[in-house]
Amino acid sequence: MSVVDLVFRQRFGIKSFRLTVVALVWASVAVPVLILCLYQLRDDYEQRLASNRAELERRAERASFVIAQELRQMMSDLDRIASDGTVIRSLSFPMLSPLSSAKLDSFLKENSAAVNIISLDRELFPVEILPDTALTADLSAYKTFMDEVIAAPESIRDPRPRLFLSVPDKNTGTRQILFVRPILTANNSISQPFVVTGLLFATISSEKLIAELREKDGVGFPWLQLYSQQQLIYSSELHADIQEQQRVEVNLGREDQALSLVFGSSSQGVARQVLMAYRAQALMALLFVAAMGLVTKSLADKLGKPLSLLSR
């Protein structure tokens, strides 16, 4: 072996020794730090997801209350109008129509989600129609249901508004909420003191109802659906990144006409929020690792220096 080869091997061995020392010391310090950082980030990510899930539950419960309150108020207004003497008598005395029309108009003014309201006699002939744009409304699709409401003894025992749904829109598939409230008239019979002499028919826009909910919520929901006994009423556009869903019931006081809301939220941006929250800590960790690298290099140089002197 030549002298040149020997010197090369000695110097290469010393350099390799230094790199080994640097790698071992750096790994013994940096790897645990990185592992701890990753575990902390993962825990904070899961905690933020759990916090977002809890917030979604709270907002869903609040939204359910808002929707129930809106619809219950409409049902109460329909009860009040159907029990008004002017409205009852207008079914058989058209001269009272202006007074009856004022009662119906107040319903539309007080309930912005209401599209129209129609009073019909027992033969389902329209007596009052508001607004005028509802004159072209086709009620034939609901004739069977309205006939059942008029004929049912339950309508006398419990005349509260019945909820059912419109036919779905051909383009969007969205349905409207329909209320039918029996109008009762006193009858000269002990066995049957009241008879159904007409109906109040009201159309509630599900789009406007949800728009009001979003406005009151302030933040809005990425995804929302409204159901009535498994029948879809309204659905916002589905986002591909929806991961959390929450379903809540909307109690309207009748088991046969309960609604349900399904909310969805996205986890998109949660990881970014966690990383942004740890900017200062990440910078400190990088500075610490860099400092340890310099200290380790200095230590390796000091350990390698005696070997260099021995190899001469």
Side-chain angles (χ1 to χ4, degrees), residues 115-269:
V115 176
N116 59 52
I117 182 170
I118 304 172
S119 64
L120 306 102
D121 62 16
R122 188 176 177 86
E123 304 302 323
L124 301 183
F125 182 81
V127 177
E128 290 293 333
I129 301 178
L130 290 176
D132 293 339
T133 53
L135 289 170
T136 58
D138 183 10
L139 304 183
S140 59
Y142 318 117
K143 184 178 183 303
T144 301
F145 178 82
M146 291 189 288
D147 284 336
E148 291 176 356
V149 172
I150 291 176
E154 179 69 18
S155 296
I156 297 176
R157 293 194 299 267
D158 183 7
R160 288 179 297 174
R162 272 68 172 157
L163 181 150
F164 66 110
L165 304 179
S166 70
V167 294
D169 184 88
K170 295 180 180 179
N171 297 322
T172 64
T174 300
R175 297 173 182 264
Q176 309 304 331
I177 297 174
L178 307 177
F179 281 124
V180 170
R181 206 289 188 181
I183 299 176
L184 305 184
T185 301
N187 186 32
N188 295 325
S189 172
I190 298 177
S191 60
Q192 190 177 5
F194 294 96
V195 293
V196 178
T197 55
L199 300 173
L200 283 180
F201 180 97
T203 303
I204 312 301
S205 170
S206 56
E207 293 94 340
K208 291 183 178 180
L209 194 65
I210 299 302
E212 290 180 4
L213 172 63
R214 292 184 184 277
E215 183 179 351
K216 291 180 180 179
D217 181 68
V219 180
F221 295 90
W223 180 64
L224 184 152
Q225 288 184 325
L226 178 63
Y227 284 89
S228 173
Q229 299 181 353
Q230 308 304 319
Q231 284 188 301
L232 180 63
I233 301 175
Y234 171 89
S235 178
S236 60
E237 183 179 354
L238 179 62
H239 293 262
D241 58 348
I242 293 297
Q243 294 184 357
E244 297 290 342
Q245 292 189 20
Q246 182 69 27
R247 189 183 191 98
V248 291
E249 299 300 318
V250 179
N251 184 11
L252 299 180
R254 289 176 61 99
E255 295 181 0
D256 59 342
Q257 56 188 35
L259 302 178
S260 59
L261 285 164
V262 180
F263 299 93
S265 66
S266 169
S267 61
Q268 184 179 12

Side-chain angles (χ1 to χ4, degrees), residues 5 67 121:
D5 290 340
I67 292 290
D121 62 16

